[in-house]
Amino acid sequence: MREEEKKRMSQKSGMRRFLSKRWALPAIYLAAAAILLTAVLWFQTDKEDVAAPGDISKHEVKDTAKGTDQEAVEVNSKLEHFGTPMGDMSDSVVKKDFYDKKASKEEQEKAVLFYDNKYIMNKGIDLAKKDGKTFDVVAAVSGKVISVKEDSLLGNVIEIDSGKGITTSYQSVTDIAVKEGDSVTQGQAIAKAGQSLLNEEAGIHVHFEIRKDSVAVNPNDYFQKPVSSLMESKAVETKSDEDKENATLENEAPTEEGSSEEPSVDESSSDQENTKTDTQN
């Protein structure tokens, strides 16, 4: 019994000597903290590796973001607001406005082009600088270039598709900096403002159109508004509605003073030709 008591006393005295040292308690605390931190990290790592059914892991999110360029552009464009093809509008002037059937008669007359003895409704907006100099034409919204055409009448044309039936058209441009198939971001320079035969009076300008399902909409109604607002809307008009407007404009078109020949409207459909024939008869 005495020997066992001696051993216990010896162990206790040894522990006391260890604890009496200055570094003993800090060493114990550090060891305990290291063990606790290791346990927490192990628990979190194990939880992340085993995803619950239906959960999406970080790797899956990264893979999803690798989609096609067109899908990425469409997602981004939904978050954008329609910009202008000039970027900075502080030094701009409207050379020809959009022909809006809801506008007054006077405003509609100002939005009609006259070319080759024909009246043509302006389906976009013609913008220029006050000093008449050229400027960078920029993408009003992100998208994919679907067409680049040389056209002396329209002054060359660039079309950009932003998804969900939304396209933007940039006419009367030169020094084109993009090609078909390119993905462009909002504000990116795509060309320089140029001239066109269709609206020669405008001088150096850009003709800008916004279309939904191939139907032109008034750009003034959408500048600085979310692209998603037009994406989610249904086109209030169709191509046949535009044809009817052309026929109506033809019937109401005034005759040029001093001219014995009555101007007509540029028409493409057989319905318009029939309307023209009936009017003349």
Side-chain angles (χ1 to χ4, degrees):
M1 293 292 293
R2 288 182 179 178
E3 290 182 1
E4 290 181 0
E5 288 180 0
K6 287 180 180 180
K7 287 181 181 181
R8 290 174 186 173
M9 292 295 293
S10 177
Q11 290 174 354
K12 288 181 180 179
S13 60
M15 183 64 68
R16 287 173 184 169
R17 285 195 301 272
F18 174 76
L19 293 176
S20 65
K21 298 182 181 294
R22 292 183 178 180
W23 52 265
L25 289 177
I28 294 173
Y29 292 148
L30 288 174
I35 294 172
L36 181 61
L37 181 60
T38 302
V40 170
L41 292 175
W42 176 84
F43 178 76
Q44 288 183 344
T45 303
D46 185 64
K47 190 174 182 179
E48 287 180 358
D49 290 340
V50 183
D55 286 349
I56 300 177
S57 70
K58 293 181 180 179
H59 296 292
E60 290 174 331
V61 172
K62 290 180 181 179
D63 291 342
T64 303
K66 292 180 182 178
T68 64
D69 291 339
Q70 180 61 26
E71 290 175 351
V73 167
E74 182 176 320
V75 170
N76 292 335
S77 63
K78 286 180 181 178
L79 304 176
E80 294 175 351
H81 287 58
F82 278 106
T84 71
M86 292 185 70
D88 182 12
M89 293 285 287
S90 61
D91 189 32
S92 67
V93 59
V94 177
K95 289 293 186 178
K96 186 71 68 174
D97 216 337
F98 179 84
Y99 183 94
D100 194 336
K101 66 178 185 180
K102 297 177 291 185
S104 66
K105 196 74 174 177
E106 183 180 355
E107 291 174 328
Q108 288 179 345
E109 289 177 358
K110 291 179 180 179
V112 173
L113 294 164
F114 183 75
Y115 178 79
D116 194 22
N117 206 40
K118 297 174 183 177
Y119 286 102
I120 304 169
M121 292 181 295
N122 197 32
K123 287 300 179 181
I125 183 170
D126 294 21
L127 300 169
K129 289 187 70 175
K130 292 178 181 178
D131 59 12
K133 295 181 180 179
T134 189
F135 54 89
D136 285 335
V137 176
V138 301
V141 65
S142 300
K144 185 176 182 179
V145 179
I146 58 173
S147 178
V148 177
K149 295 180 181 178
E150 292 185 3
D151 191 315
S152 58
L153 177 63
L154 301 178
N156 302 330
V157 183
I158 300 173
E159 278 190 88
I160 297 176
D161 182 8
S162 297
K164 298 294 184 182
I166 304 297
T167 58
T168 48
S169 178
Y170 308 77
Q171 301 175 16
S172 185
V173 294
T174 186
D175 296 340
I176 297 173
V178 294
K179 63 182 182 300
E180 188 173 327
D182 286 351
S183 292
V184 297
T185 56
Q186 187 178 48
Q188 178 180 335
I190 58 176
K192 291 280 189 180
Q195 294 177 291
S196 70
L197 293 176
L198 185 60
N199 191 6
E200 225 170 351
E201 295 179 356
I204 297 175
H205 70 287
V206 59
H207 173 84
F208 175 66
E209 295 183 6
I210 300 176
R211 289 182 175 265
K212 164 66 173 174
D213 297 330
S214 300
V215 178
V217 298
N218 191 342
N220 298 302
D221 292 341
Y222 291 96
F223 285 142
Q224 304 307 321
K225 290 186 179 179
V227 177
S228 58
S229 64
L230 184 56
M231 283 183 172
E232 295 165 2
S233 68
K234 295 181 180 179
V236 294
E237 293 181 340
T238 63
K239 291 300 290 180
S240 61
D241 291 328
E242 287 189 355
D243 294 341
K244 290 177 182 178
E245 287 182 31
N246 284 335
T248 301
L249 180 61
E250 177 193 6
N251 292 333
E252 298 177 354
T255 304
E256 285 283 303
E257 292 183 7
S259 174
S260 59
E261 185 178 358
E262 181 181 352
S264 62
V265 176
D266 189 14
E267 299 169 340
S268 57
S269 69
S270 58
D271 292 339
Q272 293 172 343
E273 292 294 341
N274 293 335
T275 304
K276 181 178 178 180
T277 303
D278 294 340
T279 304
Q280 292 174 344
N281 293 337

